[in-house]
Amino acid sequence: MTQAAGAAAGDIRVNAVRGAFTPQEALAQMLRGTGISHRFTSNRAAIIGASPNVDLDVVTNGATSLAPIVARGQSDRDADQGSGFQGTPDWVYEEPSSVSVVSREAIESNPAIRNAADALDTVAGVLTNRSEAQKPGVSVNVRGLQDMNRVTTSIDGARQNFQRAGHGSYQQVFVDTSFVRSVEVEKGAVPGVGGAGSLGGLVNFRTIIADDIIPEGKSWGGEVKGGTGTNAFNFDGSAVAGVRLNDDLSIIGGVSHKRIGDYKIGSDGDLQLTQGNTIVDDRMLYSRNEVLNTLLKTDWQVTDDLNFQLSWLRYEADGAQGGDLNGSPRRDDEHYLNNTVTSVLAYDPESDLVDATLRFWFNDTRNDEQRGYVGGKEPVSYGMTSFGGSIENTSRVDVALGELALHYGVEAFRDEGRTRTKNLDIPGGSDNHFGFAGANPSGKRTMASGFLNAELQHDDWLTLSGGLRYDHYRLSGTTVVQNQRIVVTPPQNCLAWQDMDGDGTPDVNGLWYDADGNIYQAPGPGREFIPPQCDRWEVPGGQATVYDRFPVAVDQSGGAWLPSAKIAVQPFDWLQPFVSYSRTYRPPAITESLISGGHPFVPFENMPNPGLRPERGETWELGVNILQDAVFDPDDTFRMKAVYFHRDIEDYISMGRMWFEPAQRVYTTFVNLDGTTTMNGVEIEASYDLGHAYIGGSYTYLDTDFANSYELALPAGFEGGAAQPSPAVLFVPPREKATLDAGVRLLDRKLVLGGRVTYVSETTPEYGQLVGSYVNGAYTVYDLYGSWDFHENAKLRFGVSNLTDEKYVPALGTSAYPAPGRTYTASLTIKF
């Protein structure tokens, strides 16, 4: 906080503020009852002692007059709750970019959250892929982009880069909502930390802090929650407690447990599903899982200028995947373990030139599987270890045109993938280890990035910014390409005379077999003999299976300069239009460059592509923020963010086919598609809050046009039947998605009753090998929710998800995994 030139105030005491608030809420509470006026400018600065209608040099009516005090800080991003749709805090509607936030209150108000994917269903421009619905992980799709780290996904800034190949989405993020404070979604280029190697945005799950658990003015606190419901929603509970050892040091810890079973699908609708396989007696097999989640976090204010935070989040779950094959279940038992450790050192002295943050993080994800096949179980362990760090700083200086803020830094991380199986090498045959490990290869990828962003605030109405990032990567690893071929042995002609002594004449015991199998004795020395005509092969020909193994090493690297620019204007205090341009860059993931093997026990289908090129994106955005209070009533608020975007992507990576010279055949691999993949659309999030009533919602229109061809180079004269060179696994999102949420607050706002309707248009893939697959009809889902603060330390929540028991398949899902039917839930939260 800095004070401008002018008369200083006398002995004035303000109110203590502790907890999570928006800047507006915190300052209003701090100055309440002091008689000191204040106002906020467009650049998130507060002018204290100034009134828009009163000359600062004039003191009237005995009011206290201060020289303008400009208060800035980064605490606005810490606000996890606001009056916007989904509890979005106000800083989102002051940010001239595509950002959405889901608050903890919104997550807890969502009935029957089976995993974190359900918490993102109402966010504009965001879908979660349900094509691997038996797994508890989350695969986020932002504006049509998903998998292979196209969208950075993190927990408290620690990247979650785990990938596992299957028949659906690849990326899996394991996080439970019990300790999630908010979810932040950046849908365009990420200018600072988190943007390295990101093609289309960032999704960050932020966990709770001490202020969420320890009441203001207390040195300790806690929270216990327990809930249950129908439709196999058996139990969802947590316990968390915290202590302030002193004013500078706090520790919180918690444990959560969720247990859900195989749910029943909806019954209303004409969706045709084949009974059997994954759906038996209208229940989805192996949709069950049991989750144990633990959290430990400390916050230490080392000095007035230095803060240190350390956290450890552990996620453990058991589940299964598989189906029922002709009345005989085939089940793969699954165990998931995710450990995320983050440390943050923030240094913010009384200098406009230094506001620095140093961050280190570590993430380790393991998926252990007992693969169920006839003859027993095969143990497999899929793993990804990622670690990295960053340092960033913001310097602010006053220039002739306004205030210039320079944000600069570097970040780097490394992924190490490894799949383990028991020894499946057959001597003289195939190495079946690659039937599991080939599609989830071992390898290493290192990413480093530096960035500089400059933002100029001119008066209260113009913001100009420009930035430049350089990304560099290196990916390496070794694998084996296997080939199975048939060697034909030509038949031998009739047996010839034997000449064992080498004298050039037939031996006495030499035998001749004629066409009828008669044996003729050799005539002996000096005797002439004319053998009978031989008209058949006496030694038949045959064929043998031969296995070839071709070691392949991959070592590729590259880099790119990525500029960005933005203009935002504010003609009125409540209105902010903006336009932005950015370039992005995503190197291949370990899976894409090093894939080999194939299906389990068929390790001859895939090959690596050492020449795979990175994807490059170019995005334009045109948007507007509206943030206005007292529109129709002194206590109402209106918030809206609307954005139009257009993105072009070159060298989009998809599965295809490629010629492998050593084996003289075509394999499946990842390839760069020809032409330009385009994505454009409109995203709107808006809300109106009157205090005792509210209404809000989101709308998404998304038009995707994927490149759908590539060059399959074959040698001259090849006639091996390479199949059509169609790309595969291109998930096409629905064109439209809309959510409307409304409710009332009664009994002094202690009782909340609300409802939500979500509409998603049909999905019809039109590209590559998915044409005719993953075709999902449009659906509309209704939810009811409510809460009752019947005691200052106790809250009852209740709700109904899928009220009409709609039978439907979620967007980006498959008919093998329809959504849960009607589910009633209730939970009780007690604070102490």
Side-chain angles (χ1 to χ4, degrees), residues 1 6 9 177 195 228 313 329 466 481 485 540 560 725:
M1 180 180 293
T177 56
T228 187
L313 185 67
V481 176
R485 56 191 175 91

Side-chain angles (χ1 to χ4, degrees), residues 69 327 429 728 735:
I69 300 175
R735 282 183 177 267

Side-chain angles (χ1 to χ4, degrees), residues 511-527:
L511 301 179
W512 183 275
Y513 292 79
D514 70 4
D516 297 321
N518 299 316
I519 302 176
Y520 289 80
Q521 184 70 38
R527 294 179 58 185

Side-chain angles (χ1 to χ4, degrees), residues 265 377 397 545 551 582 595 678:
I265 66 175
K377 299 276 189 177
V397 295
T545 302
S582 61
I595 188 171
T678 63

Side-chain angles (χ1 to χ4, degrees), residues 439-734:
N440 303 275
S442 301
K444 299 177 181 179
R445 185 181 71 151
T446 302
M447 189 89 201
S449 180
F451 57 87
L452 170 63
N453 301 293
E455 182 178 276
L456 176 67
Q457 294 282 352
H458 176 66
D459 291 338
D460 293 337
W461 66 274
L462 177 63
T463 302
L464 301 174
S465 65
L468 185 64
R469 173 189 288 276
Y470 180 74
D471 281 1
H472 186 271
Y473 83 99
R474 182 174 182 180
L475 189 153
S476 63
T478 58
T479 188
V480 172
V481 176
Q482 300 189 78
N483 184 38
Q484 183 185 45
R485 56 191 175 91
I486 304 299
V487 176
V488 177
T489 304
Q492 298 178 17
N493 207 338
C494 297
L495 289 176
W497 292 106
Q498 297 182 22
D499 184 11
M500 302 298 294
D501 57 9
D503 64 355
T505 62
D507 296 333
V508 174
N509 294 325
L511 301 179
W512 183 275
Y513 292 79
D514 70 4
D516 297 321
N518 299 316
I519 302 176
Y520 289 80
Q521 184 70 38
R527 294 179 58 185
E528 182 180 0
F529 175 75
I530 302 176
Q533 182 67 32
C534 181
D535 61 1
R536 71 185 179 96
W537 303 108
E538 292 305 321
V539 180
Q543 62 182 29
T545 302
V546 177
Y547 297 88
D548 302 312
R549 301 183 186 183
F550 306 98
V552 178
V554 174
D555 190 347
Q556 60 187 99
S557 61
W561 292 97
L562 307 169
S564 61
K566 186 184 303 178
I567 301 174
V569 297
Q570 193 148 3
F572 307 102
D573 288 342
W574 53 272
L575 180 66
Q576 185 189 49
F578 60 88
V579 61
S580 66
Y581 169 83
S582 61
R583 287 183 177 270
T584 53
Y585 176 84
R586 184 192 73 89
I590 293 173
T591 299
E592 292 170 311
S593 288
L594 282 161
I595 188 171
S596 65
H599 282 262
F601 299 106
V602 189
F604 321 109
E605 300 175 337
N606 302 326
M607 62 167 282
N609 186 354
L612 202 60
R613 299 184 301 275
E615 298 173 340
R616 298 172 184 266
E618 182 180 61
T619 303
W620 286 92
E621 291 183 340
L622 177 63
V624 61
N625 285 321
I626 297 178
L627 188 153
Q628 190 171 15
D629 297 336
V631 181
F632 304 110
D633 185 272
D635 294 327
D636 71 2
T637 62
F638 178 71
R639 306 287 185 263
M640 186 178 81
K641 182 185 286 286
V643 177
Y644 166 80
F645 71 91
H646 178 90
R647 174 182 288 138
D648 291 331
I649 301 172
E650 302 296 332
D651 291 324
Y652 191 91
I653 298 174
S654 173
M655 292 201 76
R657 310 273 285 178
M658 181 177 289
W659 173 261
F660 187 61
E661 180 67 26
Q664 292 290 293
R665 54 162 287 198
V666 170
Y667 286 80
T668 298
T669 188
F670 284 92
V671 297
N672 295 104
L673 300 184
D674 298 329
T676 301
T677 292
T678 63
M679 299 172 176
N680 61 82
V682 175
E683 300 161 350
I684 301 173
E685 290 184 355
S687 64
Y688 177 74
D689 196 319
L690 193 56
H692 61 272
Y694 60 91
I695 184 170
S698 65
Y699 173 76
T700 304
Y701 174 82
L702 179 60
D703 184 19
T704 56
D705 185 9
F706 287 90
N708 61 357
S709 65
Y710 64 96
E711 181 181 359
L712 176 57
L714 298 175
F718 177 74
E719 298 179 355
Q724 293 296 320
S726 298
V729 195
L730 294 178
F731 285 99
V732 180

Side-chain angles (χ1 to χ4, degrees), residues 802-814:
N802 195 358
L803 178 67
T804 60
D805 205 31
E806 179 84 0
K807 182 190 291 186
Y808 70 100
V809 175
L812 300 182
T814 169

